[in-house]
Amino acid sequence: MRWQNRRLSDNVEDRRGGGGGMRTIGIGGGIGGIIIVVLALLFNQDPQQALQSVQQGSGNAPQSESRTVTSNSDEISRFASTVLADTEDVWGELFSQMNRNYKDPGMVLYTDYDQSGCGAAQSAMGPFYCPADEKVYLDLNFFTEMEQRFKVAGDFAMAYVIAHEVGHHVQNLLGTSRKVQAMRAQLSEREYNKLSVMLELQADFLAGVWAHHAQKKHNILEPGDIEEALNAASAVGDDALQKAAQGHVVPDAFTHGTSEQRVRWFKKGFETGDIKQGDTFNAPDL
């Protein structure tokens, strides 16, 4: 991915280094191993329940001193800041075309623990978007885990993760996520899981829309970049995660979509660049 020597976002807070040592938390739900939980919760638009469980097990997260990502920062933080800047450029223009104002999300880089508007942020949850403070929370060590344990590597795979979380911010601004959340109390767990899958696949689609327009604006793509994103989308499919964790697949427990679905919706967003074609909630076939 071509990203060096371009604009850094002004909306990144670097809080790394002040989170303290790692603590042990209890993991429920039948998922074995904390790295499986990392990927099972990856891209979760509504992390409140998981965050509350962390708070109960480990207390309040310690506060860290915040600093701005600059040109003198380490490469990985500058990369994340550049990708966020690209999403600001793309979504700012697309919202303008819809006669809407786009509010840039924030991004918090932290180590192990921090505090979000949704509660304690914990690295074992993976990257997440908190609608309460409109920020993406990211422990950059997550990308090392992706590469070492799941063989998902490449800078554009990392860009896909960030773009997906920003996709949840777009859903928040458009009111989509609030509508889904409002239906939670009215539906069974199985029925709500289906809505969650639709929400997550739409965020994958929106990540693809971002890639389409970022390529037009900044010529960011190098050979193999899209394949990196597709590999990442495939690795975090519910079927792949469940099979790795428990040896079999339980479709009724899907919350993010299968590997094939996640790949297909990202590709649709990238190929069309048209936000109107991402209505996963009324699609005849997910």
Side-chain angles (χ1 to χ4, degrees):
M1 177 180 173
R2 302 182 185 93
W3 65 272
Q4 290 87 351
N5 302 316
R6 291 200 287 107
R7 183 177 76 85
L8 302 177
S9 172
D10 295 326
N11 299 301
V12 180
E13 302 170 58
D14 191 346
R15 302 179 188 173
R16 290 174 296 167
M22 198 72 167
R23 304 176 189 176
T24 301
I25 61 173
I27 301 300
I31 301 297
I34 204 165
I35 188 62
I36 299 300
V37 175
V38 171
L39 291 180
L41 291 174
L42 177 62
F43 313 137
N44 199 346
Q45 178 271 336
D46 181 27
Q48 283 93 330
Q49 286 186 331
L51 290 168
Q52 288 169 1
S53 70
V54 171
Q55 286 182 301
Q56 292 167 0
S58 58
N60 291 330
Q63 294 292 330
S64 304
E65 181 180 352
S66 180
R67 57 190 180 276
T68 303
V69 172
T70 68
S71 59
N72 295 323
S73 301
D74 58 292
E75 185 172 13
I76 186 65
S77 64
R78 285 187 283 109
F79 171 81
S81 184
T82 302
V83 172
L84 186 64
D86 282 355
T87 67
E88 293 165 357
D89 294 343
V90 167
W91 289 113
E93 286 192 9
L94 292 179
F95 267 56
S96 178
Q97 292 170 13
M98 295 186 289
N99 295 316
R100 302 180 69 116
N101 292 323
Y102 181 71
K103 181 180 179 182
D104 295 339
M107 178 185 285
V108 175
L109 308 180
Y110 70 98
T111 302
D112 295 341
Y113 284 88
D114 205 86
Q115 191 73 21
S116 79
C118 300
Q122 212 266 12
S123 60
M125 293 176 179
F128 67 88
Y129 170 71
C130 174
D133 59 17
E134 299 183 335
K135 294 180 181 180
V136 173
Y137 286 81
L138 178 60
D139 184 335
L140 294 173
N141 292 325
F142 175 78
F143 296 126
T144 301
E145 294 286 344
M146 283 181 63
E147 182 173 359
Q148 291 179 349
R149 295 179 183 266
F150 288 85
K151 311 305 179 187
V152 176
D155 51 12
F156 204 71
M158 295 188 290
Y160 159 74
V161 170
I162 295 170
H164 178 103
E165 298 305 336
V166 174
H168 284 312
H169 177 65
V170 171
Q171 291 172 320
N172 189 40
L173 294 181
L174 295 177
T176 306
S177 53
R178 287 190 293 276
K179 291 179 182 177
V180 171
Q181 183 64 22
M183 298 183 67
R184 191 175 201 123
Q186 307 171 29
L187 302 174
S188 67
E189 181 179 0
R190 178 181 179 181
E191 292 170 330
Y192 185 77
N193 285 347
K194 292 181 180 179
L195 282 182
S196 178
V197 167
M198 295 173 187
L199 196 71
E200 295 297 331
L201 293 179
Q202 187 178 74
D204 284 328
F205 171 84
L206 295 173
V209 170
W210 163 76
H212 174 98
H213 291 281
Q215 171 64 5
K216 281 189 171 182
K217 287 179 64 65
H218 301 301
N219 190 31
I220 65 172
L221 296 177
E222 296 177 309
D225 278 348
I226 293 300
E227 288 74 12
E228 291 174 5
L230 298 180
N231 287 340
S234 179
V236 294
D238 282 322
D239 52 344
L241 294 173
Q242 288 185 359
K243 190 171 183 179
Q246 57 198 22
H248 63 277
V249 173
V250 184
D252 286 347
F254 288 176
T255 58
H256 290 67
T258 66
S259 296
E260 185 275 333
Q261 288 172 325
R262 302 198 73 164
V263 166
R264 179 156 45 84
W265 280 98
F266 174 84
K267 287 179 65 177
K268 184 175 182 180
F270 176 69
E271 291 169 357
T272 67
D274 183 2
I275 192 173
K276 295 179 181 178
Q277 297 195 39
D279 185 2
T280 53
F281 296 92
N282 293 300
D285 180 18
L286 285 178

